Amino acid sequence: MFTALGGAMQQVDLVGVVVDLLGLEDALDRVTQRALATQEHGSEVRPLSVVSANLDHIAQFGRLGRWYDTLDYSLGMPNVSCAVQHGSNSDDWLVLLDGAPLVAEATRLTGKTWPRLAGSDIIGPLLDRAETEGLSVGFLGGSYVVQRVLSRSVTRTRPSLKVSGYWAPDRKELIDHEASLRLADSIRSARTQILVVGLGKPRQELWMAKYGPTTGANVLLAFGAVVDFLAGSIQRAPSWASENGLEWAWRLALEPRRLARRYLVDDPPSLLRLRRESRLITSNSLNPPSENEFVAAALDGSTSETLSELDRSPLARCFSPHGQQVDVTVLAVTFNNADTIEELIATLRAETEALSLRVVVADNGSSDSTLELLAQHPDVITVRTGGNLGYAGGLNTVMHLARGCEAVLVLNPDLMVQPQAISLLLDRMRRSGAGIVVPQLLESDGSTYISLRREPSIFTAIGDALCGARFTGRPSWASELDYDAESYQHPHRIDWATGAALLINGSLAQRLGAWDEQFFLYSEEVDYFRRAREGGESIWYEPAARMTHHMGGSGASTALSALMAVNRIRYVRKYHTKNYASAFRSAVLLAEGLRAFKPNRRGIFKTILDESSWGELPRPSVVPQNQDALADFPSGTIIIPAHNEESVIARTLHHLAVLAASGSVQVIVACNGCTDRTASIASSFPGVKVIEVEEASKVAALNAADEVATRWPRVYLDADIEMSPTAVKMVLDRLTHSGALAARPAFEYDDSRASALVRAFYRARRRIPSTSQALWGAGVYGLSKEGHAKFGAFPTLTADDLFVDQQFETWEKVVLNTPPVRVVTPRTVASLSAILQRNYRGQTEFTENAKKLPQSVPVPTAFLGSGDIGSRRTTRELLGSVRGPGSAFDAAIYAFFVASARLKQKRLSAKIAIPVWERDVSSRS
């Protein structure tokens, strides 16, 4: 019969590793008692895994380590990962104190001297007990030759020891799941009670955690080089070295090539943190199970929450509707995925036997039969986005439908979910407290897809540029991809993974909000993972959860490859300094330059080099709206102030006509002081409401329209700006669901009919990053009801868009990567000069009147006394945009126009009391 392992142990937390403090005899008693345990009521004994924790163990499994939290030995609680993964009992962990620095820290924390219990110190007395009790012992690890020597040594020195077998697997066997299962079964067949595992850290601990229960052994000892010590192939350190904490130096001298990195690179950071990040675990922080609970758990292996205990819906294999609380909301973005979407839905239905799922699909304008196939599944919530908004844009469109769930599962539409994969991801999230969990992805042929990634850096970019997919054993700092096969065998924390499948904690998804749409496709997941990590969340990889990726979701083309390269640069620019991003861009150029001869890489180098061509890469696009799409259209109002705009108002309303006629949104044209046919032209469009204001004032028109409008959010659109329904939808969606107070769509300049000097001005302006990051300058912006309430009525200022921009903090406003609105530039030098004069008058007016505005209207102090908004920053960015003679010429033209407009505006403001509204007539022809 199994006997209890004794009372609660005193424990210390050493940099995230919980160590059990025991004397030698206590440790031997606990190991022997578990080894002698027998089955009861047909249940197998859960194995006890014994680890000796030294600095290397902390480097591997502590807070700094790659495998932190992978072994669920924290606070002495049982590891349940194996039970979930393999359907068998899991194991308990006994972590012993090893290494002089750890012994010293444990002594400091407890005020009591503790012995060092290295595996090499325990193995002799433990084998003595095994001989006495008749326990069978097996040895796993070391080479075949070492095992032969060990066999002869044991036979000679311990003739009474019952040896169940010797196993010397190579690394390929240990990282192969099926081979490891066969190895474990062989150990089970030999009826091994104690298994000495000498595979080296961290492999031995990881192998024990995954396959230990399958071996049938009652005790597994992770004792590293003990097999070599027993065989005599490695000489033990003399007693004077061990007693003075110098055993590491002795071993380093014997094996410098193998151990130099461990002792000189990996271990020192853990040594430095040992005193700062260690604590004594008190009874308040640890409530050990009672003796009866411990025995029952060891024999039963059950957990408090199993998949079989989950609620079963009476509508098994049906998805839950919106508004109903569910376990998981599944979000997918489709674009011509008729060949894979049915398989995804079928495999998701199988998951509803264990979990309640809501399935939401955002369709990015599919032109094949994707929508028809989705229509055959009425319990799948399908939302037409109105265009190809990209992956991030599609997700943002439907993210508001993911409320009311424990977790959000984002899936590519070309995936096949294997049985229980979602349950396993959710279980990992619950047990580890992870913010995001990703599964193992398989290729269509069943092989493992290299999906795990490291945070991009200059060094990883250079390593990948020079090596590509070759030399996969290179150091981790020289590769963004994780090629190590062992990484795909065990659950552990990661930086990020390919975004084909990720389970996000529901509360985290709400906190992180929208995905960054500037990336359109590629790198949006890198950004999302980073934001999660910066928010204090951990990212986990769960290999037991498997999904097959058919790799067809995004297609393949040179343009998409170029977009991937460019988005890597955009990502680094978002989080790093200009110099760092410049070096990273050089590494990306190196990679593309070395591969420019390949047919599928031609032109990418040139694209990266010429940033003006980045706007020609794939980006959000519009599809025609039909009645089905309009049914999902968000509510809101579009307000268009117009003063004598008969030449352009029809052009603007043409794009919005279907929305106005259907009543999907309110469209209000506020004619102010019009003396032409603007009102009659606008009235000819069904559904468009026209109001007339006597005063020729844009601000008066805005305020009058606000009084008439009844819906929120609101888009304020200049009469000469063309905005697609898709862009309107994205702005209204974001303001309705994300918590943003203000938003602006992307825009593009149409200077196709402008003079050469005007085109040079706008080429330079496109190269200045700050011009595309504010709400002003595009002729359109949107406000939520809460955002508008920050200032109430529009004040009497020329630059209404500048005023609105300054009311919000950076996190309250957003520039969306929508299909761009069309901004027709002035055609002539005179018209451009007039527009610039008005712009600078508006900036000056804003600054001069800031102190006169109501106290409820906040004005950043940085703008008080400034004659030019962001002039220093703009100058720096303008100079930084110069890459050659052509861009230098454009920058000079830009500077000339700006300086001339500012000087002329100053002269005019001194002479004219009542300013004249400068108007660009050339673009309205």
Side-chain angles (χ1 to χ4, degrees):
M1 288 292 295
F2 173 74
T3 57
L5 298 185
M9 295 170 284
Q10 191 168 12
Q11 296 177 312
V12 288
D13 180 340
L14 303 180
V15 199
V17 174
V18 177
V19 179
D20 306 305
L21 301 180
L22 295 171
L24 175 60
E25 290 302 316
D26 285 339
L28 292 173
D29 287 345
R30 289 175 182 266
V31 172
T32 305
Q33 289 170 13
R34 181 61 66 88
L36 289 168
T38 58
Q39 296 182 4
E40 184 175 292
H41 305 303
S43 297
E44 291 188 353
V45 177
R46 188 168 60 214
L48 175 68
S49 293
V50 183
V51 177
S52 56
N54 51 21
L55 273 181
D56 187 45
H57 189 84
I58 290 179
Q60 297 284 354
F61 296 98
R63 291 190 188 93
L64 284 177
R66 176 186 183 187
W67 306 102
Y68 176 56
D69 271 356
T70 299
L71 307 180
D72 295 337
Y73 54 62
S74 177
L75 302 181
M77 297 304 291
N79 179 329
V80 298
S81 60
C82 295
V84 175
Q85 292 179 27
H86 306 295
S88 60
N89 298 315
S90 61
D91 49 351
D92 295 325
W93 291 85
L94 182 65
V95 184
L96 303 177
L97 195 61
D98 185 11
L102 278 70
V103 171
E105 184 60 21
T107 299
R108 184 187 71 83
L109 291 171
T110 63
K112 179 180 177 181
T113 301
W114 298 97
R116 175 173 176 253
L117 300 180
S120 54
D121 297 322
I122 296 176
I123 192 64
L126 187 58
L127 293 180
D128 291 341
R129 291 198 177 193
E131 282 188 279
T132 302
E133 300 289 346
L135 295 169
S136 62
V137 180
F139 297 90
L140 173 64
S143 66
Y144 174 75
V145 174
V146 169
Q147 291 279 20
R148 293 293 299 273
V149 174
L150 175 62
S151 174
R152 290 194 293 268
S153 175
V154 170
T155 300
R156 184 180 65 257
T157 60
R158 298 181 180 276
S160 302
L161 182 65
K162 185 179 178 182
V163 178
S164 60
Y166 299 90
W167 295 270
D170 58 27
R171 190 180 178 216
K172 289 183 179 180
E173 289 182 81
L174 295 172
I175 63 177
D176 181 273
H177 178 62
E178 295 302 324
S180 288
L181 287 177
R182 290 192 295 271
L183 174 61
D185 187 63
S186 173
I187 296 170
R188 173 185 288 272
S189 299
R191 300 183 180 278
T192 305
Q193 292 172 288
I194 299 176
L195 181 65
V196 181
V197 184
L199 303 175
K201 291 183 186 295
R203 186 171 298 120
Q204 60 194 14
E205 287 84 1
L206 296 173
W207 194 91
M208 288 161 53
K210 189 169 185 178
Y211 302 104
T214 311
T215 65
N218 288 4
V219 174
L220 296 98
L221 307 172
F223 281 178
V226 159
V227 170
D228 293 294
F229 286 145
L230 290 174
S233 58
I234 294 180
Q235 185 179 356
R236 285 208 61 188
S239 58
W240 63 264
S242 300
E243 292 170 359
N244 290 279
L246 295 175
E247 185 172 354
W248 66 272
W250 173 271
R251 294 193 62 190
L252 177 61
L254 292 178
E255 300 180 89
R257 290 189 62 182
R258 187 174 75 87
L259 297 176
R261 178 179 177 85
R262 168 181 166 179
Y263 288 128
L264 302 180
V265 178
D266 296 338
D267 289 356
S270 298
L271 179 62
L272 294 174
R273 296 172 70 129
L274 190 59
R275 188 178 183 93
R276 297 197 311 268
E277 300 183 26
S278 297
R279 65 185 178 91
L280 177 66
I281 298 175
T282 64
S283 57
N284 292 330
S285 61
L286 173 62
N287 295 311
S290 67
E291 179 174 306
N292 290 336
E293 291 172 334
F294 196 100
V295 173
L299 292 171
D300 179 40
S302 62
T303 59
S304 60
E305 181 176 4
T306 63
L307 298 179
S308 62
E309 293 171 345
L310 294 171
D311 292 336
R312 301 297 177 89
S313 169
L315 298 176
R317 293 186 176 269
C318 289
F319 303 129
S320 302
H322 177 55
Q324 181 175 316
Q325 185 73 26
V326 294
D327 294 319
V328 178
T329 296
V330 180
L331 302 181
V333 179
T334 55
F335 179 70
N336 296 332
N337 295 110
D339 55 338
T340 60
I341 191 63
E342 285 279 73
E343 185 176 37
L344 172 63
I345 292 175
T347 55
L348 287 174
R349 288 199 186 281
E351 296 295 286
T352 61
E353 294 186 0
L355 297 170
S356 57
L357 302 180
R358 179 188 306 125
V359 177
V360 183
V361 176
D363 185 74
N364 265 343
S366 295
S367 57
D368 63 357
S369 59
T370 299
L371 287 170
E372 288 77 5
L373 292 172
L374 288 170
Q376 298 175 15
H377 301 276
D379 55 348
V380 173
I381 303 170
T382 303
V383 177
R384 302 183 189 214
T385 64
N388 186 359
L389 310 186
Y391 197 66
L395 286 174
N396 288 338
T397 300
V398 296
M399 189 61 76
H400 66 281
L401 298 173
R403 294 187 175 94
C405 60
E406 182 179 353
V408 179
L409 178 61
V410 175
L411 295 179
N412 269 20
D414 56 348
L415 283 171
M416 180 182 71
V417 180
Q418 295 199 7
Q420 290 194 322
I422 302 178
S423 296
L424 291 165
L425 290 174
L426 191 60
D427 183 70
R428 169 59 62 183
M429 178 172 288
R430 289 167 174 167
R431 289 186 290 108
S432 67
I436 302 176
V437 184
V438 300
Q440 181 179 25
L441 295 182
L442 305 177
E443 303 268 14
S444 297
D445 62 2
S447 60
T448 299
Y449 173 62
I450 304 301
S451 61
L452 304 185
R453 304 288 196 270
R454 302 181 181 96
E455 178 66 15
S457 69
I458 294 172
F459 293 111
T460 61
I462 293 174
D464 291 337
L466 297 176
C467 302
R470 296 172 297 173
F471 308 112
T472 56
R474 61 184 182 269
S476 60
W477 53 263
S479 176
E480 186 174 319
L481 279 73
D482 188 347
Y483 290 104
D484 187 357
E486 214 154 37
S487 295
Y488 296 87
Q489 288 292 312
H490 308 284
H492 60 98
R493 295 186 182 218
I494 60 172
D495 286 345
W496 67 282
T498 182
L502 58 153
L503 185 77
I504 311 163
N505 181 281
S507 61
L508 174 63
Q510 298 303 317
R511 291 201 310 274
L512 291 181
W515 292 57
D516 192 337
E517 296 175 16
Q518 70 165 306
F519 299 110
F520 183 68
L521 193 65
Y522 309 124
S523 291
E524 70 281 331
E525 78 269 49
V526 196
D527 175 79
Y528 197 83
F529 280 111
R530 178 171 183 140
R531 287 162 54 202
R533 295 198 311 273
E534 289 182 343
E537 301 290 343
S538 61
I539 318 298
W540 275 79
Y541 166 72
E542 178 51 73
R546 295 185 169 191
M547 300 185 188
T548 302
H549 193 195
H550 296 305
M551 309 294 172
S554 303
S557 67
T558 302
L560 289 177
S561 297
L563 179 64
M564 181 185 294
V566 166
N567 279 351
R568 293 178 64 203
I569 299 170
R570 286 172 172 157
Y571 170 78
V572 171
R573 284 179 175 175
K574 179 175 178 178
Y575 291 103
H576 294 278
T577 64
K578 180 180 178 181
N579 290 338
Y580 189 99
S582 179
F584 187 88
R585 177 173 176 265
S586 298
V588 177
L589 281 168
L590 173 64
E592 297 305 329
L594 293 174
R595 294 159 181 79
F597 66 92
K598 296 183 178 182
N600 64 337
R601 312 298 293 185
R602 288 174 185 166
I604 299 179
F605 182 88
K606 181 180 178 181
T607 298
I608 298 173
L609 204 59
D610 179 16
E611 293 198 21
S612 64
S613 67
W614 290 11
E616 301 171 8
L617 293 171
R619 58 181 178 176
S621 59
V622 181
V623 296
Q625 302 291 316
N626 55 34
Q627 288 303 122
D628 290 337
L630 293 176
D632 298 322
F633 212 91
S635 179
T637 300
I638 301 173
I639 293 176
I640 306 173
H643 172 68
N644 292 340
E645 301 285 9
E646 64 178 0
S647 62
V648 295
I649 191 65
R651 184 179 73 193
T652 298
L653 290 175
H654 171 74
H655 295 279
L656 307 174
V658 64
L659 301 181
S662 66
S664 300
V665 297
Q666 281 185 308
V667 179
I668 301 174
V669 177
C671 297
N672 56 101
C674 290
T675 57
D676 63 356
R677 297 185 305 115
T678 300
S680 61
I681 293 173
S683 298
S684 68
F685 284 84
V688 173
K689 183 177 183 62
V690 178
I691 63 173
E692 298 202 47
V693 181
E694 292 185 6
E695 182 184 359
S697 165
K698 181 181 181 182
V699 168
L702 293 173
N703 287 329
D706 268 335
E707 291 181 3
V708 174
T710 59
R711 302 185 194 177
W712 294 96
R714 292 177 186 171
V715 174
Y716 300 88
L717 179 68
D718 286 357
D720 60 335
I721 303 298
E722 301 171 37
M723 186 176 186
S724 69
T726 302
V728 173
K729 184 178 190 296
M730 292 179 72
V731 172
L732 295 179
D733 262 332
R734 182 62 67 88
L735 292 173
T736 301
H737 301 300
S738 72
L741 301 181
R744 171 178 70 73
F747 70 91
E748 63 181 359
Y749 293 119
D750 180 359
D751 58 3
S752 59
R753 303 181 68 181
S755 65
L757 292 178
V758 173
R759 289 200 301 272
F761 174 89
Y762 280 100
R763 282 198 301 270
R765 186 163 185 168
R766 290 185 184 98
R767 298 187 186 108
I768 300 175
S770 59
T771 61
S772 61
Q773 296 171 356
L775 297 181
W776 53 270
V780 57
Y781 54 85
L783 295 171
S784 69
K785 186 175 182 179
E786 295 77 12
H788 195 287
K790 291 194 73 170
F791 59 86
F794 288 92
T796 306
L797 292 172
T798 300
D800 63 288
D801 52 358
L802 173 62
F803 165 78
V804 168
D805 182 75
Q806 296 308 308
Q807 305 315 302
F808 303 100
E809 301 292 346
T810 303
W811 58 86
E812 294 177 319
K813 56 189 176 182
V814 61
V815 176
L816 302 175
N817 191 26
T818 65
V821 300
R822 179 169 172 257
V823 179
V824 181
T825 68
R827 298 181 186 176
T828 65
V829 170
S831 293
L832 176 60
S833 297
I835 294 301
L836 290 175
Q837 289 172 41
R838 188 183 73 203
N839 289 345
Y840 286 110
R841 187 182 78 249
Q843 293 180 13
T844 303
E845 182 182 86
F846 176 82
T847 303
E848 291 177 349
N849 287 275
K851 295 180 180 180
K852 302 177 184 178
L853 293 175
Q855 293 184 356
S856 60
V857 179
V859 180
T861 56
F863 291 99
L864 298 179
S866 173
D868 181 18
I869 300 300
S871 58
R872 293 181 180 178
R873 177 182 178 183
T874 302
T875 301
R876 289 195 302 269
E877 292 179 346
L878 182 64
L879 293 174
S881 70
V882 175
R883 292 288 185 270
S887 57
F889 173 78
D890 294 341
I893 295 298
Y894 183 93
F896 172 78
F897 273 114
V898 168
S900 299
R902 290 182 64 188
L903 290 173
K904 189 171 183 180
Q905 173 55 35
K906 286 182 179 180
R907 289 198 300 268
L908 290 175
S909 62
K911 297 179 181 179
I912 303 175
I914 302 176
V916 177
W917 182 273
E918 297 87 349
R919 187 181 182 87
D920 169 29
V921 180
S922 65
S923 65
R924 287 168 164 78
S925 302

